[in-house]
Amino acid sequence: MKKIIFLLLALLATHIFADSSMTQIKHNPWELIIYRPENKTDFNYIRCYVKITDENGNDVSKTKVKATYEWASIPNVVNRYKNLLYLDGGMAMHLNLKPGKYHFSVYTPIDKQAGFECTKSIAGKFQWESNTFEYDTENPAKVIFVTPVMDDNGFFNGSWWIDHKAPRFFKWSEMKGSR
């Protein structure tokens, strides 16, 4: 009986000391993930560039934001952006924001639209724009999604949609219906 009690006390002491020496992992309250799910065909390779502005309309994409990205297919490898913040299909952007309110939008410039089979009918006609998504670092939502918008016939219409709700998924994400 003494051996059992001693063993239980030893296990309890090991558990107490192990817990006190372990570093607690906490979510960074100012981190936001922007995820662009995978789409079908060559649409994944069309980049949308992220623009972040503060409450005063100042572009803070490089001043108040630190960003890394990873591919959904290889989530263990974190990459750093070299110049512009962008998303391809299947990418997740991790943003560390200073506390405050921000406005997010994405766009695809005219010169980045050519060469894709899925956009032959609309490429080069205008810059593709998104809605503006307002985000406060006090917001409990920590993930937002970027999806392409389709017309009534089911084809990409040249715009993007940013939302806190995930798109419907099958093998890939469905495009957002036009509004």
Side-chain angles (χ1 to χ4, degrees), residues 60-91:
V60 295
S61 303
K62 293 183 180 178
T63 56
K64 292 188 179 181
V65 175
K66 289 185 181 178
T68 59
Y69 68 92
E70 63 190 15
W71 296 97
S73 57
I74 46 171
N76 304 1
V77 180
V78 176
N79 304 284
R80 302 223 180 274
Y81 285 99
K82 294 183 181 172
N83 292 319
L84 295 173
L85 301 178
Y86 67 89
L87 289 167
D88 287 344
M91 277 179 70

Side-chain angles (χ1 to χ4, degrees), residues 14-60:
T14 304
H15 180 70
I16 290 171
F17 290 118
D19 282 349
S20 65
S21 65
M22 294 179 77
T23 305
Q24 286 190 349
I25 298 173
K26 295 181 181 180
H27 175 72
N28 177 348
W30 299 290
E31 182 180 68
L32 174 68
I33 298 171
I34 302 176
Y35 180 53
R36 183 174 157 206
E38 287 187 73
N39 296 104
K40 54 186 169 181
T41 67
D42 60 348
F43 204 86
N44 281 329
Y45 306 110
I46 299 171
R47 287 187 175 171
C48 59
Y49 295 88
V50 179
K51 182 177 180 181
I52 306 167
T53 57
D54 63 13
E55 293 177 283
N56 301 321
N58 301 316
D59 187 345
V60 295

Side-chain angles (χ1 to χ4, degrees), residues 96-122:
N96 285 314
L97 305 165
K98 291 185 179 180
K101 295 181 181 178
Y102 299 91
H103 300 272
F104 291 90
S105 61
V106 297
Y107 63 96
T108 303
I110 293 172
D111 63 331
K112 302 293 185 187
Q113 300 171 9
F116 300 100
E117 188 68 32
C118 63
T119 61
K120 276 186 175 180
S121 63
I122 59 170

